Amino acid sequence: MNINEKISTLENIENKSCEVKLFIDIIKDLQDEIENLSNENHLLREYIDTIEEDLREVESVLSVEDDELEIDNFDEEEFIQVSCDSCKESLYIDKEIYESEENFDCPNCGNLITFIKS
Ligand SMILES: [Zn+2]
């Protein structure tokens, strides 16, 4: 007997008590809940598949190994953050350039950024 057959057996009881009626109600609610969850699960799976496909596409466009994507490789020690007075863009400048030059052309707007060294 599957669940539905069992429920029908319960439903076919004559002169059902309040308890049995309530029990049938609860089981039906649970069934709906399970169906909703499984639908949601299905949608999520489809969504994940789509994301995975997109990600694979992005990776193939970048054509880099996974470990090269890691931000960890960006060594903050080697760079100094400055912001452009003109376009307000945050720029990371190589420490060597910062230390050896007095100023720097903003790659974003061309504004000459003068390094203020303390
Ligand atoms: Zn700028």
Side-chain angles (χ1 to χ4, degrees), residues 52-117:
E52 256 179 353
E53 265 172 46
D54 287 352
L55 189 62
R56 228 169 282 140
E57 217 170 284
V58 169
E59 278 178 341
S60 73
V61 168
L62 290 175
S63 67
V64 289
E65 298 295 319
D66 281 351
D67 59 328
E68 284 182 51
L69 277 174
E70 281 178 26
I71 303 292
D72 292 0
N73 290 347
F74 185 83
D75 190 353
E76 274 183 51
E77 302 271 299
E78 303 287 320
F79 296 88
I80 284 175
Q81 192 191 354
V82 296
S83 54
C84 173
D85 296 331
S86 175
C87 67
K88 309 294 175 203
E89 183 81 6
S90 279
L91 305 163
Y92 287 91
I93 295 171
D94 196 296
K95 220 171 198 169
E96 276 180 40
I97 292 174
Y98 181 84
E99 268 154 17
S100 61
E101 305 288 331
E102 292 298 315
N103 46 44
F104 180 80
D105 288 326
C106 171
N108 196 44
C109 69
N111 177 47
L112 193 69
I113 301 165
T114 308
F115 298 142
I116 301 151
K117 298 172 198 177

Side-chain angles (χ1 to χ4, degrees), residues 45-57:
R45 275 183 177 279
E46 278 183 0
Y47 184 56
I48 289 171
D49 282 348
T50 316
I51 292 175
E52 256 179 353
E53 265 172 46
D54 287 352
L55 189 62
R56 228 169 282 140
E57 217 170 284

